[in-house]
Amino acid sequence: MLHRRPWLRLSLLLSAPLAWLVVAYLGALAAIFVTAFWTTDTFTGEVVRRFTLANFQALRDEPVYRTIALRSLGVAAAVTAIDMAIGLPMALYMAKVARPRHRPYLVIAILAPLWAAYLVKAYAWRVMLAEGGLIDQTLRPFGLSGPGYGLTATVIVLAYLWLPYMILPLYTGLERLPDSLLDAAGDLGAGPLRAFRSVVLPMVFPSLVAGSIFTFSLSLGDYITVKIVGGRGQLLGNVVYDNVGAANNLPFAAAVATVPVVVMLGYLAAARRTGALREL
């Protein structure tokens, strides 16, 4: 019976993963959204399951939360811009300059940092960024000093952590770019910069946006790096973490967590117009 009805076979095959997606992922997002409209009793600490907009009004009216939201967006945008600036030339070299037999080894080199634990890499950067650390000692002969702990350190570490997620989509997109297009651009008199601007960049733009989805979303929701190297800086992820833990205010944490979700939904809607989602 199944071989006569391919749609039924496909439905049975996809039923388990779709059920998991709906229950575990979409269900969790729905629970967060509902919880955001509740409050916490300040005396007992119990969650009051009564509809209210108080949490969102606090996010709108309190200047500190607006500042943290804008700071989080700025950090995510800075990390994405840095990874674009570093990742594009690296991916271009890997896909079009390096010898074909060397390319698998370059891909392995890009993936190698992902094999190390997140905390190991973050704390390694904490040691290097510390006063008197490796970066400080390297810059001191030039009359400079390291950035220390703060937002600059947070951007540096996040850019390092998420760089492979920018390079790999770019490498895939550039590898599919026919060499004949570059040859044709050269035959028509285009120099390397003109060929890059007029041929390579438009063709690889969806891959660039696809990589930015990873770097932007991962940076926007991160809270561990800023705890380790961010000094006194606060991002949206830290506000969520602190309200879940020390403050024991789950509804307000859920309200804060909806901010990056809404931002990323808008980002994905804009990215969809570029065809970037097909590159993921």
Side-chain angles (χ1 to χ4, degrees):
M1 182 170 116
L2 288 178
H3 69 278
R4 295 181 180 177
R5 298 176 180 176
W7 62 269
L8 180 59
R9 185 173 56 207
L10 181 62
S11 299
L12 292 175
L13 182 64
L14 296 178
S15 59
L18 285 176
W20 173 258
L21 175 66
V22 171
V23 174
Y25 185 71
L26 298 180
L29 288 178
I32 290 175
F33 184 72
V34 171
T35 306
F37 292 98
W38 296 341
T39 57
T40 300
D41 189 294
T42 55
F43 181 72
T44 63
E46 297 292 330
V47 174
V48 179
R49 292 175 173 81
R50 185 173 63 248
F51 180 86
T52 177
L53 296 174
N55 295 321
F56 294 100
Q57 290 171 348
L59 289 175
R60 182 195 63 190
D61 298 336
E62 292 292 337
V64 63
Y65 296 122
R66 292 200 301 269
T67 301
I68 291 173
L70 292 175
R71 183 188 300 144
S72 301
L73 290 172
V75 167
V79 170
T80 300
I82 291 171
D83 283 346
M84 283 181 178
I86 298 174
L88 187 53
M90 291 182 66
L92 184 61
Y93 175 82
M94 292 168 59
K96 296 301 178 185
V97 179
R99 295 181 178 179
R101 64 180 181 179
H102 294 159
R103 291 172 188 173
Y105 300 105
L106 293 174
V107 172
I108 292 173
I110 294 300
L111 291 173
L114 299 179
W115 301 342
Y118 179 106
L119 289 176
V120 171
K121 293 180 288 188
Y123 275 106
W125 273 100
R126 178 179 174 88
V127 174
M128 290 190 293
L129 291 165
E131 184 178 353
L134 178 61
I135 295 177
D136 208 24
Q137 292 178 6
T138 303
L139 296 176
R140 194 165 293 171
F142 303 98
L144 302 173
S145 60
Y149 301 141
L151 285 181
T152 301
T154 301
V155 170
I156 292 172
V157 176
L158 288 176
Y160 162 77
L161 290 172
W162 310 138
L163 181 59
Y165 297 98
M166 176 64 73
I167 294 176
L168 292 177
L170 286 172
Y171 171 73
T172 302
L174 286 166
E175 197 176 32
R176 291 201 298 260
L177 179 66
D179 293 335
S180 58
L181 288 179
L182 301 177
D183 295 336
D187 293 340
L188 292 173
L193 290 178
R194 179 64 185 275
F196 175 79
R197 186 175 67 252
S198 302
V199 178
V200 176
L201 197 56
M203 294 292 291
V204 82
F205 183 73
S207 299
L208 195 66
V209 176
S212 75
I213 292 173
F214 291 113
T215 58
F216 189 85
S217 62
L218 291 171
S219 301
L220 189 62
D222 191 274
Y223 70 95
I224 300 175
T225 293
V226 72
K227 283 284 188 183
I228 295 173
V229 300
R232 297 181 179 179
Q234 283 271 50
L235 300 181
L236 285 172
N238 303 102
V239 177
V240 174
Y241 177 82
D242 292 340
N243 278 277
V244 170
N248 192 29
N249 191 347
L250 185 60
F252 187 73
V256 177
T258 61
V259 175
V261 172
V262 171
V263 170
M264 284 311 304
L265 287 176
Y267 197 97
L268 289 173
R272 183 175 179 271
R273 296 178 177 270
T274 69
L277 299 185
R278 291 193 297 268
E279 302 293 323
L280 296 177

